[in-house]
Amino acid sequence: MKLFIKKPIAQLMAAAQEGEKTLKRTLGLNSLIALGIGAIIGAGIFVRTAAAAGEHAGPAVTISFIIAAAGCALAGLCYAEFASMIPIAGSAYTYSYATMGELVAWIIGWDLVLEYALGAATVAIGWAQYFNDFLQTFFGFHIPFALTHSPFETSTTTTGMYAAELGSHGIVNLPAIFILLLLTLLLIRGTAESAAVNNVIVIIKVAIVLMIIALGWGFINPANHTPYLIPANAPDVKTNTGIVHYSDTFNHGWLGVLRGASVVFFAFIGFDAVSTAAQEAKNPQKDMPKGILISLVICTALYILFSHVLTGLAPYQDFLVQGKEASVSFAIKTFMPGYGWLAKLVTVAILAGFSSVILVMLLGQTRVFYTMSTDGLIPPVFSKLHPKHRTPYKSQWLFFVFVSLFAGFIPDSIVGEMVSIGTLFAFVLVCLGIMILRKTDPNIVRPFKTPFYYIVCPLGAVICLCMMASEGLENWLRLFVWLIIGFVIYFGYSIKKSHVRHGKTEAANDPPNPKFVE
């Protein structure tokens, strides 16, 4: 039994040729960059920044972003080489199938569920809180705490719209499920419409981020940046899900900054979503590396500036108690007098921004499983296309149910941390994949080469492993359990149905998928 049988790169490239049963190449560079920015700027900058600052890094969350960006930049160079060399749908799954074999490819594909599906769940939870803030701001009412939070959360705030519900327990997050339903219906209709919506949203939310940076800079209170690192003797803070003890190893000092990096790492996962659309790019060899790296550079600069302003406006402890998921609008309304209009504008923009992130994550998830299904590793239902819209509609409905269970019934802190550790694990394997391929197939055409790969690849893997190490035992156990479930499926189903293993060069498919259009 060959567990590490590889899918020949020649076969991958042949599958990428446009034809009757493949994805049409209609995505240009601008749409690829917009796709990356659309996925990156969202929950990370508007929710996870406050979470990382409040729980682990304090004002030094700016350094956390730099550490996370370093790991992403190195992994991004590896992704760029893969994406230009193997320009077909599937992201890290496809790359690992060609370089490290089927078992590793399965692990990556299964692991990507944590990145895309649970990533969508995390953002949907944040969307729900901003939607409630939107209702309260514009219409004077809000959905009760019990119907906007998971059963594992209890209201602890004494101010704001939940002040009268102190002690209330969550039941289900209905708004989160609602937005997942709307975006699932949009994706079923077709990704051409989805890309057009995404491009408009990207422009709006980048403009809002720039406004917050420019207008909020003058309201920075230097006292909020002192001390820059959270001290070990900082007072504990009671939150919806428990008590944050700053004396814990990864909740203060430089180790807190490292843990903060693993939290905000969630904010960068969008750039590899670009690679899942490689088979739909007009000029993948030229545009994929540019699309990945340009979107990453733009968003990193915005993150560092934004986090500096946000932690300068409000004390980091406030993000855990008063602001929570809607910390950005809270900071503006509370610490920027006269800019209530900006808080309203931000709430609307964040709703749009979060929507675009969920859309891209759901798209990436179904496209990865589409590829895995055509390889025979998962059932054909995941590559079954809609007779009219030619989208993997059954897969999208199945993932709507799956993602809704997490978004509706699990706190965002748990879901978000599962996303980070799962994504970091995928990035480690991508970095290693480049090193392996340089040795095993040195003569393959590489339109884009990772510079100084003998430094970039191992350094990228090490940085990602360090961030994983700070995630804590609970998150490692969740990752382990998830992988065990994946192994059961692989050895019980996938290994028996694998097209590569049984000599099938082409999977039976429906008519072609609909396309992104620029």
Side-chain angles (χ1 to χ4, degrees), residues 49-55 57-61 212 216-228 230 246 306-324 326-337:
T49 300
E55 294 184 36
V61 69
I212 293 174
W217 200 275
F219 289 90
I220 291 177
N221 181 358
N224 291 331
H225 284 155
T226 305
Y228 208 61
I230 296 178
Y246 289 117
F306 183 89
S307 59
H308 180 75
V309 171
L310 185 63
T311 55
L313 289 177
Y316 61 86
Q317 298 94 333
D318 285 4
F319 298 143
L320 296 178
V321 181
Q322 308 299 339
K324 293 193 270 301
S327 286
V328 177
S329 58
F330 158 76
I332 294 173
K333 287 186 288 188
T334 307
F335 299 101
M336 291 178 61

Side-chain angles (χ1 to χ4, degrees), residues 45-86:
I45 196 167
F46 295 124
V47 172
R48 302 308 285 171
T49 300
E55 294 184 36
H56 308 291
V61 69
T62 51
I63 303 176
S64 297
F65 271 116
I66 294 173
I67 295 173
C72 285
L74 297 173
L77 291 171
C78 297
Y79 261 102
E81 178 171 330
F82 268 132
S84 67
M85 184 173 54
I86 311 174

Side-chain angles (χ1 to χ4, degrees), residues 56-224:
H56 308 291
V61 69
T62 51
I63 303 176
S64 297
F65 271 116
I66 294 173
I67 295 173
C72 285
L74 297 173
L77 291 171
C78 297
Y79 261 102
E81 178 171 330
F82 268 132
S84 67
M85 184 173 54
I86 311 174
I88 73 168
S91 186
Y93 159 77
T94 302
Y95 310 152
S96 58
Y97 210 158
T99 60
M100 291 178 281
E102 186 175 272
L103 178 60
V104 177
W106 168 262
I107 294 172
I108 287 288
W110 186 246
D111 185 63
L112 285 175
V113 176
L114 296 180
E115 176 178 350
Y116 292 126
L118 297 196
T122 303
V123 183
I125 294 169
W127 187 94
Q129 301 315 309
Y130 277 98
F131 179 68
N132 225 9
D133 188 61
F134 169 81
L135 293 178
Q136 185 65 48
T137 301
F138 288 91
F139 301 103
F141 73 93
H142 66 273
I143 303 172
F145 183 93
L147 299 180
T148 55
H149 290 79
S150 74
F152 301 97
E153 296 176 270
T154 303
S155 178
T156 59
T157 184
T158 56
T159 61
M161 58 184 170
Y162 297 129
E165 301 177 69
L166 181 65
S168 295
H169 296 280
I171 297 176
V172 60
N173 194 331
L174 289 181
I177 297 175
F178 170 73
I179 187 60
L180 288 170
L181 175 61
L182 286 184
L183 293 177
T184 296
L185 291 173
L186 177 62
L187 283 170
I188 289 175
R189 178 173 175 81
T191 50
E193 292 84 352
S194 304
V197 171
N198 180 67
N199 288 347
V200 173
I201 291 174
V202 167
I203 294 173
I204 294 173
K205 64 184 179 182
V206 170
I208 291 296
V209 169
L210 291 173
M211 287 179 64
I212 293 174
I213 293 171
L215 297 176
W217 200 275
F219 289 90
I220 291 177
N221 181 358
N224 291 331

